[in-house]
C-alpha cells in the first residue's frame, strides 16, 4: 500500500463566461495542472478547431492572471481570498468557483532515507526550523534540507494551515517555483524532504507514512 498524507485539497477553477471561444488559456495551480492538461488534450482531440494553452505557476498567479485578463480560466488549489474577491468585483469580473477534484499530499524524502514514518508534529518541527537533523526523529546524523512551494501556491497555504497549524515556515526552508522542482531537488539531495500533490509522485523519491 502506498503511503499518503491524508489531506484533501479542493481544486478550484475560477472561470469567465466565454464559452463560445475555442482559443482558451488556463493558468494557475500546479496541483490542478496535470488534470487540466489531460482534459485539454482530450477536448482538443474531439474539437479539432480548439486551441487550449495550460500553464502552471501557482494558485495566486492564476487568479492574478484572471484579474488582469491574461487567462480565461484560473486554476487554484484553494478558495478565492476575500481580498481577491474584492479586486475582481472592482474590476467588474464575473466569476464562478467550481470544484473539479480533490487531491492529497505526499511528504517525500530521498530514497536512501531510512525514515518511513513521521508525526504531524515532527513535520511541523522540520518545516518551522525547530528540527534540523534527521537524528532528532530517529534517522541518520544528517542535515535536513526542507523544500516547499512558493507563497503564491495554494498548496503552500494549505500545508501551512493544516500541517504547520498556521505557524511560519522556517527561514532555511527552500521555496521552489514548481512542484516538479521539488521532486527533482529531493531526488538529488540525500537529506531532503518536501511535499507534493499525488500526481507528481515518482519512483525517484520515497513517500512517508504520516500519523496525526
Amino acid at each position: 500500500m502506498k503511503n499518503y498524507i491524508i489531506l484533501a485539497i479542493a481544486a478550484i477553477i475560477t472561470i469567465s463566461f466565454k464559452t463560445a471561444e475555442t482559443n482558451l488559456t488556463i493558468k494557475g495551480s500546479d496541483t490542478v495542472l496535470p488534470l487540466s492538461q489531460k482534459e485539454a488534450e482530450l477536448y482538443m482531440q474531439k474539437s479539432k478547431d480548439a486551441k487550449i494553452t495550460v500553464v502552471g505557476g501557482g494558485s495566486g498567479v492564476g487568479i492574478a492572471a484572471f484579474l488582469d485578463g491574461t487567462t480565461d480560466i484560473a486554476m487554484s488549489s484553494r478558495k478565492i481570498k476575500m481580498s481577491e474577491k474584492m479586486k475582481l468585483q472592482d474590476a467588474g469580473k464575473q466569476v464562478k468557483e467550481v470544484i473539479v477534484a480533490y487531491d492529497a499530499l505526499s511528504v517525500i524524502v530521498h530514497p536512501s532515507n531510512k525514515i518511513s514514518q513521521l508525526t504531524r508534529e515532527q513535520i511541523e518541527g522540520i518545516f518551522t526550523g525547530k528540527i534540523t537533523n534527521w537524528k532528532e526523529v530517529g534517522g541518520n546524523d544528517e542535515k535536513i534540507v526542507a523544500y516547499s512551494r512558493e507563497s503564491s501556491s495554494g498548496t503552500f497555504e494549505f500545508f501551512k494551515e493544516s500541517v504547520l497549524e498556521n505557524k511560519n515556515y522556517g527561514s532555511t526552508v527552500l521555496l521552489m517555483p514548481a512542484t516538479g522542482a521539488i521532486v527533482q531537488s529531493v531526488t538529488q539531495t540525500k537529506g531532503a524532504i518536501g511535499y507534493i500533490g499525488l500526481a507528481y509522485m515518482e519512483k525517484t523519491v520515497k513517500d512517508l507514512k504520516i500519523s496525526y
Side-chain angles (χ1 to χ4, degrees):
M1 180 180 292
K2 292 190 176 294
N3 310 315
Y4 301 135
I5 183 170
I6 307 174
L7 291 174
I9 57 178
I12 302 166
I13 283 185
T14 308
I15 61 173
S16 63
F17 300 99
K18 299 179 181 179
T19 54
E21 292 188 4
T22 54
N23 294 331
L24 292 175
T25 300
I26 304 174
K27 190 172 187 176
S29 170
D30 276 13
T31 302
V32 192
L33 184 63
L35 173 63
S36 295
Q37 287 175 325
K38 186 64 176 179
E39 293 299 327
E41 289 171 6
L42 292 173
Y43 185 84
M44 286 188 288
Q45 287 174 6
K46 294 180 179 179
S47 303
K48 300 300 182 181
D49 60 337
K51 182 180 179 182
I52 304 173
T53 303
V54 187
V55 184
S59 301
V61 171
I63 294 172
F66 183 83
L67 182 61
D68 65 25
T70 56
T71 190
D72 300 295
I73 298 176
M75 304 177 291
S76 177
S77 57
R78 60 168 174 80
K79 291 186 177 180
I80 301 176
K81 298 177 182 178
M82 182 56 66
S83 59
E84 293 167 335
K85 287 183 178 180
M86 296 300 292
K87 289 179 181 178
L88 289 165
Q89 183 176 326
D90 291 342
K93 299 277 188 177
Q94 288 186 307
V95 300
K96 182 179 181 181
E97 292 178 278
V98 181
I99 297 177
V100 297
Y102 287 92
D103 194 14
L105 300 184
S106 282
V107 174
I108 58 171
V109 295
H110 190 274
S112 65
N113 197 321
K114 72 176 186 179
I115 294 294
S116 60
Q117 182 168 343
L118 291 173
T119 66
R120 186 209 61 80
E121 290 81 5
Q122 288 172 324
I123 295 174
E124 177 190 308
I126 289 171
F127 280 90
T128 56
K130 293 181 179 179
I131 298 174
T132 59
N133 193 296
W134 284 109
K135 67 181 180 181
E136 298 177 64
V137 291
N140 295 327
D141 185 3
E142 188 172 39
K143 180 183 176 182
I144 295 175
V145 183
Y147 291 96
S148 167
R149 282 300 314 280
E150 293 179 325
S151 59
S152 62
S153 165
T155 309
F156 170 98
E157 295 190 23
F158 178 84
F159 194 82
K160 180 179 179 180
E161 292 172 2
S162 300
V163 182
L164 306 188
E165 295 190 339
N166 284 314
K167 297 178 179 67
N168 291 326
Y169 287 83
S171 59
T172 59
V173 174
L174 301 173
L175 304 181
M176 308 303 287
T179 304
I182 293 179
V183 175
Q184 184 178 15
S185 297
V186 173
T187 298
Q188 298 172 346
T189 310
K190 285 190 174 181
I193 185 171
Y195 57 88
I196 59 173
L198 292 187
Y200 290 88
M201 190 63 201
E202 299 282 351
K203 293 180 179 179
T204 56
V205 294
K206 182 172 78 171
D207 54 340
L208 300 180
K209 295 178 182 179
I210 308 299
S211 59
Y212 262 65

